[in-house]
Amino acid sequence: MEKVVIIGGGYAGIYALRELVKNKNIKITLIDKHTYHNLQPEVYDLIANNSTFADVTIDLTTLCRGFEHNHLDFKNLKVRKIDRENKKIYTEEQEIVEFDYLIIAAGTRTFFPPTISGLDNADDIKKLHRAISFKQRFEKQLFEKIRDELKQCADTHIVVVGAGLSGVEIAAEMAYYSIKFFKRGNFSCDNLKISIISSSSSILPGLKQDLINISQKRLKDLGINVITNTKLQSIEDNYCTLTNGTKIQHSFVVFTGGIEASTISAEIDVARNSKGQIIVNEYMQTNKYENIFAAGDVAEIRDNKGELMPPSVTIARHSGINAGKNVLNMIKGKALEKCNPKLDGILIALGGKYAAGDIYGILTVKGRLAYEIKKYVFSSYRSPLLKLIKKGYAKLKRH
């Protein structure tokens, strides 16, 4: 029986898995160091108290149980080494997993430039446990503000570094949440400030100008201070220093700068780019080993024109499905299918029930309509997974 292993239970890994289970005669193993699939684009709702931990995660144990496949296992392990020659994966837990075909879908993490001193004190909300920690500390500070409002009313200042999608979304959600919080309680000490720092001349560099304009206006309406054409230089206990010489006081610094591939990508001798992403061909294969594929954010993926695709859920879907299909094609001796990923569009959460979006590069939407479209897109991905984890949960309870 052919053994197929997926490393990473994120978007790309799940899409690959949904293809692989169509073949009931292979052994499939999903490996992830976490027991859950983090629905990362929805974490901002968690921080803003619009959802719970259960709403932004998919349990991988019950998910795998929910598939109708007798040879599917989930292993909660941390990969340490990939032995290509002997087709073995070595883990921190001393368990060895064998494979005939491998799909690496381990994702990325936030890149913290070592040149910025004090950056290790910044919050990284890409990781779910760090996002929850930030949420708890932020709420504790809000409580202390209200408790001490007659004695002192110190500023609470959140500095968001990076004005790409992640930075803009977290800044907007936090601003909206704080406005709603102080209004609901009619608290007098409502001096929470949010600044967002962009190294470019505007927020959301690379996106269409109308999306930038809509987002810029929304941030302004929410009272967010947008600082452009400068970078973070250092973080001290009470203030940030920017490269333009400005010093900003801070209570929290949320860093949403660039990305780098999971360290797992370095565990195999294949071509990688400067971010550590694995360079794949049009079939999602690595350059040296035809039985080893990479998908999602961990891979450098290009369309059929050679244009680099940005890391996103859409590209994770295209590449994950393609990698899964091509593993099955190889097993059956069929020709491989080329992957030509296309962006369906982009949707930006801008606080509360307000969003902005570009649909297929044709239509620009904003406000409640864009929010409802974003909500529908998320639901269409999550709903079938919820059915699977409920089925898997029921199976576990019967044993």
Side-chain angles (χ1 to χ4, degrees):
M1 185 178 285
E2 301 280 13
K3 298 182 284 291
V4 184
V5 174
I6 303 170
I7 299 175
Y11 286 96
I14 297 301
Y15 276 115
L17 178 61
R18 289 166 75 173
E19 289 299 316
L20 292 172
V21 294
K22 294 174 183 176
N23 186 332
K24 309 299 180 189
N25 300 313
I26 59 174
K27 178 175 172 53
I28 307 167
T29 305
L30 174 65
I31 300 175
D32 199 293
K33 64 180 179 181
H34 299 299
T35 57
Y36 53 82
H37 163 30
N38 175 14
L39 303 171
Q40 207 267 328
E42 305 306 312
V43 168
Y44 314 117
D45 266 355
L46 174 70
I47 292 171
N49 277 328
N50 295 324
S51 60
T52 68
F53 175 81
D55 297 319
V56 298
T57 56
I58 294 292
D59 184 77
L60 293 175
T61 303
T62 50
L63 177 70
C64 288
R65 285 278 186 148
F67 285 107
E68 297 298 329
H69 198 287
N70 294 326
H71 310 291
L72 168 59
D73 288 323
F74 168 61
K75 293 185 180 291
N76 178 212
L77 302 169
K78 190 167 186 177
V79 173
R80 278 296 176 216
K81 182 185 175 186
I82 300 170
D83 182 347
R84 155 69 187 105
E85 300 303 321
N86 297 303
K87 298 180 181 177
K88 291 180 179 180
I89 296 166
Y90 295 87
T91 65
E92 196 172 87
E93 295 78 5
Q94 307 300 313
E95 185 171 344
I96 299 171
V97 182
E98 297 183 347
F99 69 91
D100 295 302
Y101 300 90
L102 174 63
I103 298 175
I104 302 172
T108 57
R109 57 186 186 174
T110 304
F111 173 61
F112 287 85
T115 52
I116 303 175
S117 63
L119 196 55
D120 51 342
N121 296 318
D123 285 289
D124 171 19
I125 57 169
K126 190 174 176 70
K127 294 179 180 176
L128 188 56
H129 68 283
R130 297 278 295 268
I132 290 172
S133 171
F134 167 73
K135 169 184 164 68
Q136 290 169 338
R137 287 184 292 110
F138 174 67
E139 289 182 341
K140 182 173 183 287
Q141 187 163 120
L142 282 182
F143 167 71
E144 289 170 353
K145 273 175 79 72
I146 305 310
R147 182 193 64 192
D148 301 333
E149 67 177 5
L150 285 180
K151 297 173 188 173
Q152 59 176 351
C153 189
D155 285 350
T156 295
H157 195 169
I158 299 172
V159 178
V160 179
V161 182
L165 271 175
S166 295
V168 167
E169 289 191 326
I170 187 60
E173 286 294 354
M174 292 302 295
Y176 182 83
Y177 168 67
S178 62
I179 290 167
K180 188 173 68 172
F181 172 83
F182 287 110
K183 189 175 181 180
R184 182 182 293 174
N186 293 294
F187 301 117
S188 62
C189 192
D190 62 347
N191 56 347
L192 186 141
K193 299 176 182 177
I194 298 176
S195 294
I196 184 166
I197 300 168
S198 174
S199 59
S200 301
S201 57
S202 74
I203 60 170
L204 302 170
L207 295 193
K208 289 172 67 174
Q209 191 59 47
D210 52 355
L211 276 185
I212 293 173
N213 293 343
I214 292 166
S215 303
Q216 187 95 31
K217 183 180 184 304
R218 176 64 172 173
L219 296 188
K220 185 179 178 182
D221 291 345
L222 290 169
I224 295 168
N225 179 31
V226 178
I227 303 168
T228 57
N229 287 316
T230 191
K231 297 179 181 179
L232 177 67
Q233 184 170 293
S234 65
I235 302 175
E236 308 296 335
D237 285 343
N238 298 311
Y239 60 88
C240 298
T241 302
L242 307 183
T243 52
N244 65 4
T246 307
K247 289 184 184 291
I248 305 176
Q249 286 192 321
H250 71 79
S251 308
F252 300 94
V253 178
V254 178
F255 190 78
T256 66
I259 59 164
E260 62 180 349
S262 164
T263 53
I264 292 168
S265 69
E267 293 304 314
I268 188 162
D269 179 27
V270 293
R272 296 182 296 138
N273 65 16
S274 60
K275 295 177 181 177
Q277 292 170 301
I278 297 169
I279 297 171
V280 293
N281 63 15
E282 62 268 42
Y283 309 114
M284 297 297 109
Q285 293 169 304
T286 57
N287 70 318
K288 286 188 177 181
Y289 312 115
E290 64 175 16
N291 66 325
I292 299 179
F293 297 73
D297 292 1
V298 79
E300 180 186 287
I301 298 167
R302 296 178 182 272
D303 65 11
N304 61 4
K305 296 176 183 174
E307 290 185 18
L308 186 64
M309 294 288 98
S312 69
V313 175
T314 302
I315 304 306
R317 182 180 81 240
H318 284 294
S319 60
I321 289 171
N322 185 259
K325 281 183 176 179
N326 279 334
V327 166
L328 296 184
N329 285 337
M330 285 190 77
I331 290 170
K332 294 173 185 174
K334 292 183 176 180
L336 301 188
E337 298 176 33
K338 290 183 179 182
C339 182
N340 182 25
K342 292 182 176 68
L343 287 170
D344 299 338
I346 192 161
L347 290 160
I348 310 163
L350 292 169
K353 294 181 178 179
Y354 191 101
D358 172 56
I359 312 299
Y360 296 110
I362 300 169
L363 180 66
T364 299
V365 289
K366 65 178 181 178
R368 182 65 180 263
L369 174 61
Y371 169 81
E372 293 296 343
I373 294 171
K374 192 175 194 301
K375 193 175 173 184
Y376 170 77
V377 170
F378 173 59
S379 177
S380 65
Y381 172 75
R382 185 170 175 260
S383 293
L385 298 185
L386 285 180
K387 289 178 183 176
L388 286 166
I389 64 174
K390 284 176 182 175
K391 192 186 289 185
Y393 183 77
K395 284 182 184 177
L396 283 170
K397 286 298 174 182
R398 284 199 295 269
H399 284 79

